[in-house]
């Protein structure tokens, strides 16, 4: 019962901002249909959105990932569903097929859109050898040139953009300190803005971009305080990024004279549970549900000798927002689908074309 109460509180904290506008948008979206065709969801991002683009040698295809949903590893960097799945469900469509699966499914399998997200990637290149945001958009452009989707499809489409956290992780690994971070943030927001405009230029009607999660509250940061406290310096960096992002989104909407771009507030979703009203102890909130038992093991590794999992702290996922280092749990994703992406009544508005 306690777990269920925590879950309901988390949903409510994200939902209470504007129920009326949410309802107006939802009425037209949940049906999943418009006069100009089915709703399509196109996803660009990292592990918060990836539903299986990595090949099966990747960690996302190994235990303990997937043991909440679908009951086994299935390519998600989570114990269960990720943000993409919940947004698709809310739209009344199937979760869009991962880009790397496109040739293995029937054409009907593409009707919900496509997911180009790769776990570990960023706006810029990271230490992970996988497609960054620009390359993910290149994949999208190629599909459009191949006529996989029509102009009518794009007129009833939404894009989800969920990435940037790995860019900051890469920055600190390369530089070792926060000095110079504001200039990096400015550069990152500029590139992100150009990418969002590029997606819209293809005809996508509505684009939602996530704010940066509180980097100082990720297990990779809180481990230094035995999972008791967040790093305020890193959270300040997250807030600075989000401020610059919000300013850029406002500028872009003003420039276009439409509310094309929206933000999905990951930062508030995390921090709502650390507020006094969140009623959750930091030690349970900040600790990952699974960690490696030694420095040379990550969660889910198999002991070479006995074939035994080298994994600890696998506690109830419903009171953990974080998974295995920087990934999310299903519980986090389930609350986020009601965020600001759906509060605007202009979402998937009528087309003049």
């Amino acid at each position: 019962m306690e777990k269920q109460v925590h879950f309901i509180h988390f949903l409510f904290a994200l939902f209470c901002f504007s129920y009326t506008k949410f309802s107006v948008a939802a009425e037209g979206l949940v049906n999943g249909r418009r006069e100009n065709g089915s709703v399509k969801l196109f996803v660009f991002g990292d592990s918060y959105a990836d539903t299986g683009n990595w090949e099966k040698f990747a960690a996302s295809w190994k235990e303990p990932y997937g043991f909440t949903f679908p009951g086994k590893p299935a390519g998600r960097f989570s114990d269960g569903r990720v943000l993409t799945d919940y947004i698709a469900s809310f739209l009344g469509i199937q979760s869009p097929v991962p880009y790397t699966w496109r040739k293995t499914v029937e054409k009907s399998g593409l009707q919900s859109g496509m997911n180009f997200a790769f776990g570990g990637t960023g706006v810029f290149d990271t230490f992970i050898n996988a497609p960054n945001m620009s390359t993910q958009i290149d994949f999208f452009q190629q599909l459009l040139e191949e006529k996989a989707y029509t102009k009518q499809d794009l007129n009833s489409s939404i894009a989800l953009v969920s990435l940037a956290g790995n860019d900051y992780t890469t920055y600190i690994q390369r530089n070792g300190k926060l000095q110079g971070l504001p200039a990096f943030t400015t550069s990152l927001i500029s590139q992100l803005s150009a990418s969002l405009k590029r997606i819209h230029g293809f005809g996508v009607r509505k684009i939602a971009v996530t704010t940066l999660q509180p980097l100082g509250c990720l297990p990779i940061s809180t481990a230094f305080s035995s999972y008791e406290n967040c790093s305020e310096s890193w959270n300040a960096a997250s807030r600075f990024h989000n401020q610059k992002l919000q300013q850029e989104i406002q500028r872009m909407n003003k420039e276009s004279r439409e509310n094309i771009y929206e933000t999905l507030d990951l930062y508030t979703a995390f921090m709502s549970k650390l507020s006094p009203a969140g009623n959750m102890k930091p030690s349970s909130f900040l600790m990952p549900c699974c960690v490696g038992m030694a420095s040379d093991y990550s969660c889910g590794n198999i002991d070479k000798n006995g074939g035994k999992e080298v994994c600890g702290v696998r506690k109830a996922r419903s009171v953990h927002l974080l998974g295995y280092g920087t990934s999310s749990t299903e519980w986090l994703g389930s609350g986020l689908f009601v965020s600001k992406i759906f509060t605007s009544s202009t979402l998937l508005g009528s087309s003049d074309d």
Side-chain angles (χ1 to χ4, degrees), residues 13-14 28 32 43 54 84 89 95 130 152 186 198 215 257 260 276 295 301 332 335 337 346:
L14 295 171
V43 183
W54 276 92
T84 299
S89 176
S95 194
Q152 186 179 35
T186 300
R198 186 181 170 199
L215 296 176
R257 299 182 181 180
I260 296 167
S295 60
N301 283 138
L332 170 62
F337 83 100
T346 63

Side-chain angles (χ1 to χ4, degrees), residues 55-189:
E55 295 183 18
K56 293 193 175 181
F57 64 80
S60 56
W61 290 96
K62 300 175 183 178
E63 293 184 346
Y65 291 114
F67 64 89
T68 297
F69 171 85
K72 62 181 180 180
R76 291 167 174 80
F77 290 88
S78 171
D79 68 301
R81 297 171 181 85
V82 294
L83 186 56
T84 299
D85 299 306
Y86 284 99
I87 291 180
S89 176
F90 183 78
L91 291 172
I93 61 176
Q94 296 292 318
S95 194
V97 64
Y99 170 76
T100 56
W101 299 11
R102 68 194 186 284
K103 295 182 180 179
T104 66
V105 299
E106 299 292 334
K107 188 174 182 179
S108 60
L110 307 181
Q111 65 183 2
S112 296
M114 191 165 292
N115 188 344
F116 302 93
F118 281 78
T121 60
V123 175
F124 299 125
D125 287 337
T126 66
F127 288 119
I128 302 298
N129 185 22
N132 64 18
M133 185 177 182
S134 295
T135 304
Q136 292 177 25
I137 299 174
D138 288 342
F139 294 156
F140 182 41
Q141 181 177 2
Q142 182 180 356
L143 286 179
L144 297 181
E145 292 172 352
E146 295 171 355
K147 309 298 182 184
Y149 296 100
T150 65
K151 183 178 180 181
Q152 186 179 35
D153 291 330
L154 297 175
N155 279 340
S156 57
S157 66
I158 298 173
L160 168 66
V161 176
S162 177
L163 74 181
N166 293 315
D167 290 290
Y168 285 94
T169 302
T170 301
Y171 177 88
I172 198 64
Q173 288 178 333
R174 285 175 175 163
N175 296 277
K177 51 187 176 180
L178 295 176
Q179 185 177 359
L181 197 60
F184 174 75
T185 297
T186 300
S187 175
L188 190 151
I189 295 297

Side-chain angles (χ1 to χ4, degrees), residues 209-280:
V209 56
T210 59
T211 63
L212 193 63
Q213 65 271 36
L215 296 176
C217 295
L218 299 182
I220 196 171
S221 298
T222 61
F224 295 103
S225 65
S226 299
Y227 306 111
E228 291 288 340
N229 300 297
C230 298
S231 167
E232 177 53 31
S233 58
W234 270 111
N235 280 356
S238 294
R239 291 193 298 270
F240 180 74
H241 170 98
N242 295 338
Q243 179 185 26
K244 291 296 183 182
L245 174 63
Q246 294 283 10
Q247 291 172 351
E248 182 63 12
I249 291 297
Q250 291 173 8
R251 187 196 66 78
M252 292 165 66
N253 282 330
K254 184 177 181 180
E255 181 180 77
S256 65
R257 299 182 181 180
E258 295 181 74
N259 288 324
I260 296 167
Y261 309 98
E262 299 281 351
T263 54
L264 182 60
D265 196 350
L266 284 176
Y267 189 94
T268 299
F270 274 89
M271 298 306 292
S272 65
K273 294 309 296 179
L274 283 178
S275 68
N279 296 323
M280 184 175 283

Side-chain angles (χ1 to χ4, degrees), residues 21-39 90-92 158 342 344-345 347-349:
K21 289 185 178 180
F22 175 86
S23 299
V24 170
E27 184 176 358
L29 290 170
V30 172
N31 293 329
R33 290 277 176 180
R34 286 283 179 169
E35 292 181 1
N36 56 355
S38 300
V39 176
F90 183 78
L91 291 172
I158 298 173
F342 298 123
S344 172
S345 59
L347 191 60
L348 282 183

Side-chain angles (χ1 to χ4, degrees), residues 64 289-293 298-301 308-314 324:
C289 67
C290 187
V291 296
M293 297 295 288
S298 61
C299 190
N301 283 138
K308 187 177 181 180
E309 277 193 40
V310 183
C311 181
V313 204
R314 183 184 289 181
Y324 322 118

